[in-house]
Amino acid sequence: MNNQDLSVAEALERVLATVSVLGSETVSLLDALGRVLAQEVVARDSLPPFDNSSMDGFALISADIAHATPNAPVTLKVVGDVAAGKWPDFRVARGQAARIMTGAPIPAGADAVVPVEGTDENWREEARPLPKAVQVFRSVDEGGYIRPKGDDIQAGATILRAGHCIRPQEISVLASLGVPKLSVVRRARIGILATGDELVSVEDALSPGKIRNSNGYAQSAQVAALGAIPVPLGVARDTEADVRTKLQAGLDAGVDMFISSAGVSVGAYDVVKAVLSEGGDVNFWRVRMRPGKPLAFGKYAGVPYVGLPGNPVSSMVSFERFAKPAIRKMMGETDLTPRRVRAVVQDSFKSDGRESYIRVILEQHGDETHATTTGNQGSHVITSLVKANGLLIVPEGVGEVQRGERLTAILL
Ligand code: AMP
Ligand code: MG
């Protein structure tokens, strides 16, 4: 065990260096949403899989209508009707056309589509019998309104590589390519331990000196919000034996990481510190941040361990800054920087020189984002976070922030 004063950036770098990407599992397509691919995806089909029409209209030979105008329309014989989902079993020859719907395959012989609006067919009518002939009022270039086979994706091409994060648009392409199951990085299982003799559970009535265990729920929710799996380990009393028992339950459950709150500071009953000092390869850091400061980090029985401070705001902000990127890395993500904006500060306030995370309301005003502090910024004031949708970062070394300054804010 050692005690060090670290900047947020140094602490984060050390946290990230300690965790590594978890193994993979096979999931069904929709369950892959928000996950990171552990395999590459090669297209087994081209997309589109066949030449098809991008408009409702008539498939024809472009040379036939090269000089068609509203005053000099060209009349073509209609030899077929192609609905989406049907394969045309006829050819279009010179002087002929086939009615075609958006997405329907182009019949052999045709080299362009004229949209229905460029013809005499009344497209406002609902049920339209197939006309015997069609007048065309405009020309169309060869290939016009045809989406060629493979325009988007060629069969055999590598479409997604391992490490790619699955968003709704990736779900779309995977569905198009007929991929019902895929291999993704598995979800991290995170043991959540609250510690403190003062804690009672959410169902319990308060008695003198007690408070409800909010951190256990807060960190479980933060873990769940990342798509990871919280494994609640309950509340440990302020005894080394109880902390050890609860951590053992986490080891038995095979958690990938421990997150605890409280007991890592310099109080007389900070037993988490004592347990980790013996049983773990854990460092105690004073991170130069506010809220926050005490943070334990390392491994307990080989499992990464993040010991958050106890105050509710500190625990949540420290989670956001350190545990969240670590969990995201474990789940295969590579861009671990939080989503940020530059914001114009709306009030003036003092800072104590530590990197500070001010809870703010971010509002869009034209092209600018305004940041207004949410009042009392005490690390016990959870409503400062409830009102907030951002964390304004006051850099290290800054003593005062003036209204109108621009600073970076993390989006919550
Ligand atoms: P400690 O680090 O144990 O000194 O705790 C710091 C502060 O956080 C104290 O006011 C504790 O009562 C409070 N605290 C610790 N754990 C929790 C928890 N699970 N839920 C809410 N508050 C907590
Ligand atoms: Mg305590």
Side-chain angles (χ1 to χ4, degrees):
M1 158 182 163
N2 59 10
N3 263 293
Q4 290 183 60
D5 270 52
L6 300 180
S7 69
V8 172
E10 287 165 335
L12 179 60
E13 198 177 306
R14 294 190 193 190
V15 168
L16 292 178
T18 303
V19 298
S20 39
V21 182
L22 300 172
S24 61
E25 62 180 343
T26 299
V27 298
S28 62
L29 181 54
L30 260 188
D31 289 334
L33 184 64
R35 311 284 291 276
V36 173
L37 257 183
Q39 60 170 91
E40 69 168 15
V41 176
V42 173
R44 62 172 193 189
D45 307 308
S46 289
L47 208 62
F50 47 85
D51 293 354
N52 70 97
S53 177
S54 69
M55 298 291 269
D56 293 330
F58 288 83
L60 40 66
I61 295 164
S62 55
D64 278 344
I65 58 160
H67 305 293
T69 68
N71 292 328
V74 170
T75 302
L76 300 172
K77 185 177 180 216
V78 176
V79 294
D81 197 15
V82 202
K86 296 281 184 298
W87 191 257
D89 53 1
F90 57 87
R91 272 192 84 81
V92 172
R94 292 300 299 256
Q96 299 182 339
R99 188 164 73 171
I100 192 164
M101 304 303 142
T102 303
I106 304 295
D111 69 5
V113 170
V114 62
V116 66
E117 295 87 339
T119 73
D120 68 345
E121 202 194 15
N122 184 359
W123 52 274
R124 290 174 209 278
E125 223 169 84
E126 272 204 8
R128 302 198 300 269
L130 189 66
K132 292 204 155 37
V134 63
Q135 286 196 343
V136 180
F137 301 122
R138 56 168 287 191
S139 61
V140 176
D141 290 339
E142 187 179 342
Y145 302 102
I146 292 178
R147 305 184 289 207
K149 173 178 179 175
D151 197 24
D152 187 1
I153 291 171
Q154 295 284 344
T158 299
I159 296 312
L160 299 171
R161 295 183 192 283
H164 196 105
C165 184
I166 307 292
R167 301 165 299 169
Q169 51 268 52
E170 280 76 21
I171 298 284
S172 174
V173 78
L174 290 164
S176 302
L177 295 173
V179 180
K181 284 184 181 349
L182 60 162
S183 174
V184 295
V185 179
R186 71 176 176 81
R187 306 164 97 128
R189 304 180 73 243
I190 311 292
I192 312 282
L193 179 65
T195 72
D197 279 347
E198 70 276 40
L199 304 177
V200 299
S201 107
V202 65
E203 305 86 15
D204 294 339
L206 291 178
S207 53
K210 304 292 184 190
I211 60 168
R212 294 194 182 92
N213 166 24
S214 62
N215 290 348
Y217 290 90
Q219 271 78 71
S220 292
Q222 287 181 302
V223 163
L226 296 178
I229 302 166
V231 179
L233 302 176
V235 174
R237 297 297 143 206
D238 284 329
T239 67
E240 295 186 27
D242 202 21
V243 171
R244 274 199 201 94
T245 305
K246 298 284 176 352
L247 292 180
Q248 186 56 48
L251 294 174
D252 295 343
V255 298
D256 300 303
M257 174 185 264
F258 286 108
I259 292 181
S260 68
S261 58
V264 289
S265 167
V266 292
Y269 301 94
D270 286 335
V271 294
V272 172
K273 201 165 174 173
V275 171
L276 296 180
S277 304
E278 290 158 35
D281 174 15
V282 176
N283 296 319
F284 294 89
W285 298 338
R286 283 186 305 266
V287 182
R288 298 193 299 270
M289 72 185 282
R290 194 180 60 145
K293 192 145 95 174
L295 185 76
F297 185 75
K299 286 187 168 173
Y300 181 77
V303 177
Y305 191 107
V306 182
L308 302 171
N311 277 303
V313 177
S314 310
S315 76
M316 293 197 78
V317 171
S318 298
F319 180 100
E320 189 71 23
R321 216 59 199 89
F322 303 111
K324 179 173 173 172
I327 294 169
R328 292 181 63 214
K329 178 176 176 184
M330 291 164 82
M331 303 217 308
E333 291 185 51
T334 46
D335 179 7
L336 304 174
T337 48
R339 292 204 306 132
R340 292 160 300 182
V341 285
R342 286 296 276 182
V344 184
V345 183
Q346 298 302 299
D347 18 35
S348 304
F349 51 86
K350 292 204 183 323
S351 188
D352 74 352
R354 281 183 281 167
E355 183 168 313
S356 298
Y357 291 81
I358 311 294
R359 280 72 79 199
V360 293
I361 300 159
L362 298 171
E363 277 169 328
Q364 209 57 36
H365 287 264
D367 286 347
E368 288 191 331
T369 306
H370 288 185
T372 311
T373 59
T374 57
N376 188 346
Q377 297 284 310
S379 59
H380 60 295
V381 181
I382 195 66
T383 52
S384 70
L385 259 180
V386 172
K387 291 174 194 154
N389 62 358
L391 293 173
L392 186 77
I393 306 176
V394 180
E396 193 165 35
V398 172
E400 234 180 292
V401 173
Q402 301 293 342
R403 179 187 162 89
E405 271 184 52
R406 278 164 209 275
L407 292 175
T408 297
I410 294 178
L411 304 180
L412 291 180

